[in-house]
Amino acid sequence: MSGEVKGNPQAAGTQPGRQAVEVRPSGMRPHNVDVVRRARLLTDGKTLVVRDRNLRERRYPVGAGAIRRAVFVPPPPDVWETVTKRPSERWGVLVFENEDGREVLRAPLAEWLPEAHAVGILDLKPMKCLDRTGLTDLAAALGIPVEESRPPLDAAPRQPAAASDRAPARVLHGELPRWHSWIRGLGVFGWFIALVVAFAADVDWCLPVAAAALFSVPAADLVVRAGAWRRRRRDSRKFAEETLYTSVPTAGPESTPRFRRTASVRVLPRDVVITDTVGRERWIGRDGASGVARTVRLMSPGARQPLGVEFRDGRGEVRALLPWRDWFAGPQGQVHWQALVSALDVPAEDEDMRRPGRRTADTKPWTGHPLAADARMMSPLPAKEARSETSWHRTVIGGNELLLIPLLSLLLLTGLFSDSAPARLAGLLSALTIVSEWVPAAMRSLISRFHYDRADGNA
């Protein structure tokens, strides 16, 4: 039914004269940005191609004996349980089936909606989310019907598509690689076992083993972060010749170097790449019904002052929201706006801002807007919030590690003053563990406080 091959995304293909329909992942933070830049669901003629972050491809043919239809399974009615236990399924799952009704592939909508992080589950209906992802267009290009089913997602799955398959494939994107979790778990477990043996059986050489096992926890973090930095640096060369638009905010105390350096809009031949103030990047297509089809400048009623800019797709749905004050109100802001409209090469128009319920002040115009969270992240954040949103320990690993791992390392740190060589080695490794945890966090905090998030008001 399917095979896996390695290939170049540019060569992955479309038939001559036909353009592939592509579905792009949800926005990702900097350490995981290679997912949104590389992973795709796309068509190659009558073949469904699943490309992962490493450019490996799985190909699923469409037709007799292969995929024949797609079934949209909405989320269970218990919204809270879905969000807390299965966040990737909060808008439902599109299941690709063969002619016997056996599942071949599962695509959770939340994994393939570029603005998933900026839209609340109650602000977007599941069927509307299906259109926004582009999965509807992908199914149409493959020539398969999309049906809607009502069984809950936690119901017993149907029989897999092949007897050799344990379960249908799922196109998910992990926050961190699997080896990272294994190394961290084995590191803590190995530290505990080696420490017990060292003190219970009085085996000195177990002390450096315990310290080395615990050091593997921050070391795994450093490897992931270094690899992400290398990939971003590699990809930056690809973007060098593309059209880049950064913010031109009005001068004010809320303007920060982090926002001016990080937030951006890139216009590529087939994509619009939007990066928010904490470095989260998402890609929205420029073609098809789910691609950027027009820009709308929202105006305040009466005063007719610009409030923001919406990117809308071919169905009229808002896909991104840029606050005018933070993007186009500064010096040469109007020129900046005109250049962006020209680069996008789509119709641009003005509309009055419609606010549900009571009118709010123009300083807070996004109350009730479905992409209010997007407007906040596409604006300068308060310094404390910016540090929290960009902290590796708070947003990816968990803030407790910054205290727990150094605390566990203190048990062997005193070995630095011992006459025993194994104890000194254990003490040295423990010191290295503490440094690996605290120094990167301290440096990031200091740079943030004294530079990136300093409200200097420079535009």
Side-chain angles (χ1 to χ4, degrees), residues 109-443:
L109 270 59
E111 295 283 329
W112 297 96
L113 179 66
E115 65 272 25
H117 64 278
V119 183
I121 186 172
L122 299 179
D123 295 325
L124 190 61
K125 295 181 179 179
M127 283 302 296
K128 184 174 290 188
C129 180
L130 181 63
D131 292 335
R132 293 168 73 111
T133 59
L135 287 168
T136 304
D137 301 331
L138 182 138
L142 293 173
I144 57 177
V146 177
E147 306 170 4
E148 184 174 358
S149 175
R150 287 297 175 186
L153 288 174
D154 54 1
R158 302 183 185 183
Q159 185 178 357
S164 60
D165 294 335
R166 296 182 179 178
R170 296 169 62 88
V171 280
L172 300 172
H173 308 115
E175 181 75 13
L176 294 164
R178 289 184 179 180
W179 63 261
H180 178 269
S181 300
W182 276 101
I183 287 179
R184 287 168 56 84
L186 291 174
V188 175
F189 180 74
W191 168 84
F192 176 75
I193 295 299
L195 201 62
V196 168
V197 172
F199 287 110
D202 195 22
V203 181
D204 289 347
W205 61 264
C206 283
L207 294 178
V209 172
L214 195 60
F215 172 69
S216 67
V217 175
D221 293 346
L222 292 176
V223 170
V224 170
R225 298 170 74 176
W229 175 84
R230 179 183 58 81
R231 290 189 294 271
R232 292 197 304 272
R233 186 177 179 85
R234 174 201 62 199
D235 291 341
S236 65
R237 291 192 287 268
K238 300 179 182 179
F239 289 143
E241 302 300 326
E242 304 297 347
T243 307
L244 170 66
Y245 297 93
T246 55
S247 59
V248 184
T250 182
E254 66 277 3
S255 178
T256 63
R258 180 189 299 279
F259 175 67
R260 295 194 304 274
R261 287 188 176 190
T262 307
S264 66
V265 175
R266 285 186 172 91
V267 181
L268 309 185
R270 294 194 61 191
D271 300 271
V272 178
V273 183
I274 301 174
T275 306
D276 65 20
T277 190
V278 298
R280 183 189 286 106
E281 183 175 291
R282 67 186 187 271
W283 290 46
I284 304 174
R286 298 183 61 189
D287 51 10
S290 60
V292 177
R294 62 188 175 115
T295 58
V296 176
R297 185 168 59 171
L298 300 176
M299 312 294 289
S300 60
R304 301 293 296 171
Q305 294 297 319
L307 298 177
V309 174
E310 292 179 343
F311 293 173
R312 297 186 185 178
D313 62 19
R315 297 183 177 93
E317 298 294 330
V318 182
R319 307 304 303 274
L321 177 61
L322 307 180
W324 185 270
R325 172 181 172 83
D326 300 311
W327 280 84
F328 307 104
Q332 300 297 312
Q334 188 64 31
V335 175
H336 178 77
W337 162 241
Q338 294 296 336
L340 178 59
V341 170
S342 177
L344 289 171
D345 193 25
V346 295
E349 56 191 53
D350 292 349
E351 284 187 9
D352 284 348
M353 178 73 178
R354 297 187 297 272
R355 304 187 181 98
R358 296 179 58 187
R359 291 185 56 176
T360 56
D362 286 349
T363 55
K364 296 182 179 180
W366 312 120
T367 303
H369 195 287
L371 287 184
D374 196 25
R376 184 178 70 87
M377 297 306 295
M378 297 301 293
S379 305
L381 294 177
K384 184 177 181 180
E385 184 178 358
R387 287 194 295 272
S388 177
E389 288 287 342
T390 56
S391 169
W392 172 263
H393 292 92
R394 291 180 183 271
T395 61
V396 182
I397 298 300
N400 292 334
E401 179 185 309
L402 203 56
L403 294 176
L404 180 61
I405 297 301
L407 184 63
L408 297 179
S409 298
L410 289 177
L411 296 176
L412 299 176
L413 186 63
T414 55
L416 287 172
F417 309 101
S418 172
D419 294 332
S420 169
R424 287 200 300 271
L425 179 58
L428 180 62
L429 289 171
S430 297
L432 189 59
T433 300
I434 295 174
V435 168
S436 299
E437 285 285 358
W438 281 353
V439 169
M443 291 297 296

Side-chain angles (χ1 to χ4, degrees), residues 5 7-23 40-51 57-63 67 137-143 270:
V5 298
N8 187 325
Q10 301 301 327
T14 60
Q15 295 178 353
R18 299 183 62 180
Q19 192 175 51
V21 175
E22 294 188 1
V23 178
R40 294 288 185 272
L41 292 178
L42 68 154
T43 61
D44 181 4
K46 290 298 181 180
T47 300
L48 171 61
V49 181
V50 180
R51 182 190 303 151
E57 293 182 353
R58 288 174 289 166
R59 306 177 72 84
Y60 299 88
V62 175
I67 293 177
D137 301 331
L138 182 138
L142 293 173
R270 294 194 61 191

Side-chain angles (χ1 to χ4, degrees), residues 438-455:
W438 281 353
V439 169
M443 291 297 296
R444 178 172 291 272
S445 179
L446 290 173
I447 293 173
S448 171
R449 289 176 182 274
F450 294 103
H451 179 60
Y452 274 163
D453 299 306
R454 179 170 52 88

